[in-house]
Amino acid sequence: MKINMPEPVKQIISRLSASGYEAYAVGGCIRDSITGAVPNDWDICTSALPEQVEAVFSDMHIIETGLQHGTVTLMINHVGYEITTYRTEGTYSDRRKPDYVSFVTDLREDVNRRDFTINAMAYNDENGLRDYFGGTEDLKARIIRCVGTADERFNEDALRILRAMRFAAAFDFEIEEKTALAMHRNRELLSYVSMERIAVELLKLLKGSGAARILREFSDILAVVIPEITPCIGFEQHSKWHCYDVWEHTLHAIDAAEPGELIRLTMLLHDIGKPECYTYTDGEGHFYDHANASERIAKTVLKRLKLSNEIIGTVCALVKHHDAYGQIGEKGIKRLLNRIGMKNARRLLMVTYADMCGQAPEKRMLKEEKLEYVRTVLDKIEENNECVNVKSLAVNGRDMISLGLKGREIGDALNLALNAVIDEKVKNEKTALMEYLTNTELRKH
Ligand code: ATP
Ligand code: MG
């Protein structure tokens, strides 16, 4: 088999080789090359010790990324190439990182520590593909399988449990039976893994085309990381809008959503507050105020995952308003725009669409029409640059001061003006607004 490596990778390997060391491209880049995907990055492993690597590339820009783990990064044309010395790992007794790494001279020992057969292949032009564990076959059969004994591998590093789900979701692969059983069996170990590492894998998992299927099969594992989903699983809705329980609806919504992490995270969390809001009246289940409950729980979950404030803010806003487009008119849309902005209002269209796909089919048409309406109104507002927030009013703080207002009164008056404009009581023009504020509204206060 011939793999087409980028020029810099070829150069790195041949330079190391000319100095008497072995070197291979290894891991994800080989897996992706075989399937025809474009690798994210090219990792190189070598028999050379880190200081020997540094000596070979002493004329080039080298970053000592993780010297004690044997990794240096070589920068070529602003792209980083990680070069890691062949190594084995000690146990992960803190469940975060190995207690020690030992450098070794045999490629086989290095790939032996890697997680899955499809990730444990190495290649160079001189020796071709090195596949000691049947990675090529598993790729062809679309199977995730641990290298070695699954129970042991998950005990060394429980993050691998989530990584198996991530790769299966991303490539739409099955997880081999023994590996899958060991994942379920060892799931509690995930509670020792750092949230930062978990979050990286969870986001990649959610983006995968097989995300819903994998989360269905391994919901017990997700529940270790997000125990808040547990009440949703099997929670019957007793509602004409719904043909699935809360968790099954959630999975359908994830499946229907675009593969971006914001929308997928939103769908995962949008109904998480439903079970606690459940009431049953007149033969029908209700979930009053569940969007706010979901938002509150979502915030706890996202903070625990240590995600960025930007992600937390956006996802919480989308969860809070995920039901907003059900019964909304133009004025309501403008008020919503004032709170969440145009970008999130457009994202909310995707959220509503995905949500709708998880609902009873006969109710979908209604919502589809509604969505088309909201989209048209958003387009119109954007095209005409219509006023939806205080910033786009034809009056500003200085104008309010000229009316004799001070402190909090300024903001209050601007909001009054905004509401009057949205309600079409007054045009968004300076004279009209000043007159409106002086003659009518302000007098009441
Ligand atoms: P991606 O395309 O997402 O970068 P990748 O396979 O390159 O996928 P990385 O997380 O970048 O994944 O890891 C690079 C390689 O290191 C993997 O292919 C695998 O061989 C090995 N690896 C990474 N994390 C682990 C782990 N927790 N346990 C064992 N091996 C691992
Ligand atoms: Mg990688």
Side-chain angles (χ1 to χ4, degrees), residues 171-200:
F171 306 142
D172 221 349
F173 280 18
E174 295 288 341
I175 299 178
E176 176 270 331
E177 195 183 344
K178 281 186 190 149
T179 302
L181 287 172
M183 287 164 64
H184 288 295
R185 209 164 32 233
N186 292 289
R187 64 179 183 269
E188 293 298 336
L189 296 176
L190 262 174
S191 55
Y192 299 105
V193 176
S194 80
M195 277 301 165
E196 289 86 346
R197 295 181 76 206
I198 286 178
V200 170

Side-chain angles (χ1 to χ4, degrees), residues 13 15-23 46-49 52-53 55-56:
I13 291 175
R15 253 226 219 180
L16 282 162
S17 163
S19 309
Y21 306 110
E22 263 180 33
T46 177
S47 61
L49 294 168
Q52 294 170 326
V53 175
V56 170

